[in-house]
Amino acid sequence: MTISKKPVILVVDGQGGKIGKELCSQLIERFPETEVWAIGTNSMATSFMLKAKPHQAATGENPVVVASREADIICGPIGICIADSMLGEVTPTMALAISQSRAKKILIPFNKCSAVVAGVKESTISELVEDALRIVEMNL
């Protein structure tokens, strides 16, 4: 007998957690067959994401490392894969754990993490989240 596990979508965000909250809220609404976990790089980001009522939530480096091993999909701003981004909130260990995870990474190209993605037009957070949700749907 096998026990079916729900797909785990990990949302990682820092700073104020605005992108993460929007992602969590929309993922929970659109994909009820999944588990949505929220990890903040700081307590303020986690607190803001908790308003979306994710299935699990935590703060800091070790939760990012552990959850990255379990996730099927990881979502967040592109800075979560860049060491020392978000004013240093993303540690090298966090960036490495996310980058090395077997999970599919769906990154929002928010050009404010000391990284600019060429060819990406400026969009609102809502437009970027909507695009990320379309990609999640294709990968479930």
Side-chain angles (χ1 to χ4, degrees):
M1 176 196 229
T2 60
I3 296 174
S4 175
K5 171 181 128 24
K6 287 183 171 186
V8 172
I9 302 174
L10 172 61
V11 176
V12 180
D13 198 9
Q15 303 277 279
K18 184 175 181 181
I19 293 172
K21 179 188 176 283
E22 186 66 25
L23 278 167
C24 287
S25 178
Q26 294 293 322
L27 288 165
I28 291 164
E29 181 181 318
R30 292 190 193 192
F31 309 109
E33 72 284 0
T34 67
E35 288 258 334
V36 176
W37 298 356
I39 309 284
T41 61
N42 65 64
S43 59
M44 190 165 92
T46 305
S47 178
F48 200 62
M49 288 190 287
L50 277 168
K51 293 178 181 183
K53 299 190 183 338
H55 299 92
Q56 300 287 334
T59 303
E61 182 177 87
N62 202 55
V64 169
V65 171
V66 173
S68 291
R69 282 184 256 165
E70 299 296 320
D72 297 297
I73 295 173
I74 300 174
C75 293
I78 195 166
I80 65 174
C81 291
I82 301 170
D84 298 329
S85 67
M86 297 185 192
L87 297 175
E89 289 181 23
V90 177
T91 67
T93 301
M94 290 173 168
L96 184 64
I98 291 167
S99 297
Q100 289 183 335
S101 173
R102 66 167 181 76
K104 180 76 150 190
K105 285 87 166 166
I106 300 172
L107 304 172
I108 295 179
F110 202 58
N111 292 333
K112 292 188 178 177
C113 296
S114 300
V116 177
V117 181
V120 174
K121 68 178 179 74
E122 288 296 317
S123 301
T124 66
I125 291 174
S126 295
E127 291 168 335
L128 292 167
V129 167
E130 186 60 40
D131 193 38
L133 293 168
R134 279 192 293 274
I135 297 167
V136 167
E137 186 170 37
M138 292 186 305
N139 284 278
L140 282 178

